[in-house]
Amino acid sequence: MRVNAYAAPAAGRPLAPTTVERRDVGTNDVLIEIEFAGICHSDIHTVNGDWGPQPFPVVPGHEIVGVVAEVGSAVSTHRVGDRVGVGCMVNSCGECTNCRNGDEQYCLQGMVGTYAATDRDGTTTQGGYSTHVVVDAGFVLRVPEGIDPAAAAPLLCAGITTYSPLRRWGAGPGRRVAVVGLGGLGHMAVKLAHAMGAEVTVLSQSLKKQEDGLRLGADAYFATGDPATFDELAGRFDLIVNTVSASIDVNAYLSLLTVDGALVNVGAPADPFAVNAMSLIGGRRTFAGSMIGGIAETQEMLDFCAAHGIGAEVEVIAAERVNEAYERVLASDARYRFVIDAATLR
Ligand SMILES: [Zn+2]
Ligand SMILES: [Zn+2]
């Protein structure tokens, strides 16, 4: 079927209305009528060519929420009318060690990205800035009742990207967690760590968003532009989640960790980190990274968010405003995620 979409025709060009072909619903497939698609910073990097050549035209969007319109004959996990979501991946080999461990995002054959990737049938995937998408049922998540569907969309990337390291490194009662950067990822990290029961501190360049940070669940908020911050917080945190994709003075942040503390990166700066071994050795510290989460863990995150009444802070826009939204994301003027209303594409 041909469906309406917004696509980037070439690197760095504005997105424009178009149509894309969606495959027939196979035995294991789910056809989703899209309601909302979040705008992730990765979408912008991809269509601007920051991450290398892309198979243009590219329909971005990997924070998708919608309603099941049709299921294949072998699908028992989803029914017509269910509210569902799709995140950053739509397929993987299903057989390698990592896939079998529920870490499909680290599939040894390479996970299939939701857009601008080659699917296992050889076709190019197209993302969620569209009215419909067909996805293998194994990569379709249940969106529980109780989360507003627009606010649920960013959970599929920003939510799981921060939930996974918080869980893995034990955010919870009695643990001190710092979140570096209060953007799309950072605001979710604050909400999730707070709901897990951790003591949460935001480390941001300035105090400009302090009121927001405290409202979202932070217990404290410090400006990293003030050198006194690093003296005051030395050795304080069990876990620091770094959500910024700009370069940071990583050794200064490592000095804020307790013995056995971990600094986990979920942003991806273009330049290498310069880690002094002493910053790690001097406190048995861990310097780590984490990329989204597996399918089972993503479902666990959605269920956790529903149980705790958590959604993203969103600004819902018509599809025709997507280019303007991109400029505002690049200017750090998003509070905190733009979400496209797919009804405006019909
Ligand atoms: Zn994303
Ligand atoms: Zn695999």
Side-chain angles (χ1 to χ4, degrees):
M1 69 191 279
R2 288 233 44 107
V3 303
N4 291 347
Y6 252 70
R13 297 286 309 282
L15 277 70
T18 185
T19 59
V20 289
E21 187 68 26
R22 298 299 188 187
R23 68 173 181 253
D24 293 338
V25 177
T27 52
N28 290 308
D29 283 338
V30 175
L31 170 65
I32 301 167
E33 185 174 354
I34 298 173
E35 296 177 294
F36 297 101
I39 295 178
C40 174
H41 211 137
S42 317
D43 302 349
I44 303 174
H45 282 302
T46 303
V47 302
N48 282 347
D50 299 342
W51 291 343
Q54 303 296 331
F56 290 102
V58 169
V59 177
H62 60 201
E63 296 183 336
I64 302 169
V65 165
V67 174
V68 175
E70 190 182 335
V71 295
S73 55
V75 175
S76 58
T77 45
H78 304 285
R79 290 187 193 160
V80 172
D82 287 355
R83 178 161 284 127
V84 293
V86 176
C88 303
M89 54 186 170
V90 290
N91 222 330
S92 72
C93 85
E95 290 164 5
C96 72
T97 312
N98 296 344
C99 283
R100 279 193 276 180
N101 285 341
D103 284 326
E104 298 90 347
Q105 74 276 33
Y106 306 124
C107 175
L108 296 174
Q109 308 290 321
M111 60 101 153
V112 177
T114 302
Y115 60 82
T118 304
D119 208 339
R120 289 166 57 75
D121 63 4
T123 59
T124 300
T125 57
Q126 299 285 10
Y129 299 3
S130 177
T131 57
H132 297 79
V133 65
V134 177
V135 178
D136 184 287
F139 291 80
V140 176
L141 289 308
R142 295 181 306 280
V143 176
E145 300 234 351
I147 315 180
D148 172 69
L155 300 178
L156 278 306
C157 173
I160 185 60
T161 296
T162 49
Y163 179 92
S164 184
L166 289 168
R167 269 281 183 253
R168 175 155 301 270
W169 277 275
R175 304 270 285 171
R176 288 170 169 165
V177 174
V179 176
V180 183
L182 193 69
L185 290 169
H187 96 287
M188 284 312 311
V190 169
K191 287 188 173 204
L192 291 165
H194 174 69
M196 289 173 188
E199 183 187 309
V200 185
T201 299
V202 176
L203 303 175
S204 184
Q205 268 180 322
S206 73
L207 296 178
K208 212 169 53 184
K209 297 183 191 167
Q210 182 173 24
E211 209 173 295
D212 272 11
L214 299 176
R215 177 177 57 83
L216 297 171
D219 300 284
Y221 201 107
F222 287 86
T224 54
D226 178 356
T229 291
F230 288 88
D231 293 331
E232 192 175 340
L233 299 178
R236 181 173 178 86
F237 300 108
D238 300 295
L239 170 63
I240 300 175
V241 179
N242 176 24
T243 72
V244 306
S245 44
S247 296
I248 60 165
D249 180 353
V250 58
N251 298 297
Y253 285 88
L254 286 167
S255 76
L256 305 184
L257 292 171
T258 58
V259 171
D260 289 328
L263 169 56
V264 184
N265 297 283
V266 295
D271 296 324
F273 290 109
V275 182
N276 293 334
M278 274 314 295
S279 302
L280 302 173
I281 295 169
R284 201 163 57 207
R285 299 180 179 114
T286 302
F287 183 61
S290 180
M291 182 176 75
I292 53 174
I295 291 298
E297 190 177 37
T298 304
Q299 187 62 60
E300 178 190 304
M301 176 276 304
L302 288 168
D303 295 344
F304 177 89
C305 286
H308 290 85
I310 294 175
E313 303 288 300
V314 298
E315 180 175 340
V316 177
I317 60 164
E320 64 191 24
R321 290 182 55 207
V322 63
N323 295 302
E324 177 194 332
Y326 274 23
E327 295 199 350
R328 285 181 58 194
V329 171
L330 291 172
S332 298
D333 182 27
R335 295 286 166 90
Y336 280 84
R337 210 57 151 182
F338 289 105
V339 172
I340 296 168
D341 179 356
T344 63
L345 283 160
R346 294 202 179 94

